[in-house]
Amino acid sequence: MRHDPAGAAIVIMLRSLKMPGMAQAVHDLMEQGAPAFEAAMPMLSQLLKAEMAEREVRSISYHMKAARFPAYKDLSGFDFAASEVNEALVRQLHRCEFMDAAENVVLIGGPGTGKSHVATALGVQAIEHHRKRVRFFSTVELVNALEQEKAQGRAGKIAEALVKTELVILDELGYLPFSASGGALLFHLLSKLYERTSVIITTNLSFSEWASVFGDGQCPSTWCRRPRAEPSAQRSARPRVTLAVIVDLRRRFGLRPGTENGDDDDRRENGADRAG
């Protein structure tokens, strides 16, 4: 059989479109060297490319709806000039490489600092350019859903669905209170997702305040051990030690991270991010 790059490309497209029967038929026609088929190949190639492009658009649209973002936000709409956030670190996260190792991101800031914008932009990028599955929740919304499924005797269904995604975004941890039992359920869910699904959390709380959220003094050790964030190039050369990349947006309001409650570890974390 002679090598025909155009025909081989058609076979590849048909297989990617899950049309194995047509792919085999094209393969047979190529072996036969049928003149009529060779004349039709350019048109067939264009038709298949159009179908693949249409399916790609539909797939992105479906996953954007499934993510349930409250609004469409991308990084081009974020005003870095009006924020003290480490732009280089945010743009590094925007490459979505942290999801490959199921690493996590915490965005800390008060109202109006843009943490929800950045979180949404990372989720949108993950879907549109990396074909990731993403789910966005307000934290209270998720806790209410966890409590409801438990009351209905269906505990674990939400976790089962979320571990199949590549990214879960929890917006505004600590903004509204929830019950101790709800905090325990959220604690359990984060433990299930750890090292399986990346999680982005936006919050106005320092890590020292997280224990009050999860009830009974619990705090997910995988989030609260205050790891140092390293550039991805350094991480690839050594065992992964990053549990969460900390991005602090509080300076916009003149607050030094950690000074409102004496949390020196928060201050050290943010210094690591600026260096990164």
Side-chain angles (χ1 to χ4, degrees), residues 38-49:
E38 291 182 358
M41 280 201 302
M43 182 180 294
L44 178 58
S45 178
Q46 288 300 314
L47 290 171
L48 290 173
K49 288 176 181 177

Side-chain angles (χ1 to χ4, degrees), residues 172-225:
E172 297 290 9
L173 175 72
Y175 183 70
L176 292 174
F178 42 78
S179 66
S181 61
L185 290 171
L186 182 58
F187 175 94
H188 183 68
L189 175 63
L190 290 176
S191 299
K192 287 282 188 181
L193 297 179
Y194 178 59
E195 291 192 330
R196 301 174 72 180
T197 296
S198 289
V199 180
I200 296 177
I201 290 181
T202 76
T203 183
N204 60 351
L205 302 177
S206 297
F207 272 113
S208 61
E209 300 173 279
W210 280 39
S212 64
V213 171
F214 294 97
D216 297 328
Q218 294 184 105
C219 183
S221 60
T222 54
W223 289 92
C224 297
R225 290 205 301 248

Side-chain angles (χ1 to χ4, degrees), residues 101-142:
E103 294 179 335
N104 307 305
V105 177
V106 181
L107 301 169
I108 304 174
T113 50
K115 58 189 183 297
S116 296
H117 185 140
V118 172
T120 301
L122 295 178
V124 167
Q125 176 75 2
I127 293 172
E128 291 186 339
H129 297 279
H130 300 277
R131 310 302 180 255
K132 303 291 189 182
R133 291 162 295 180
V134 179
R135 184 66 166 90
F136 183 105
F137 293 94
S138 75
T139 303
V140 170
E141 170 197 357
L142 176 59

Side-chain angles (χ1 to χ4, degrees), residues 145-163:
L146 290 170
E147 290 185 315
Q148 185 176 13
E149 73 162 7
K150 182 180 180 182
Q152 295 173 346
R154 303 176 68 249
K157 294 296 183 181
I158 292 175
E160 183 180 325
L162 293 182
V163 295

Side-chain angles (χ1 to χ4, degrees), residues 19 43 48 80 85 109 176 180 234 237 267:
M19 297 180 175
M43 182 180 294
L48 290 173
F80 284 100
V85 66
L176 292 174
Q234 294 179 20
R267 190 156 51 246

Side-chain angles (χ1 to χ4, degrees), residues 38 53 82 87 102 110 126 143 151 221 226 255 257 260 266:
E38 291 182 358
E87 180 176 355
V143 169
S221 60
R226 302 181 176 88
L255 296 175
E260 71 274 22
D266 278 350

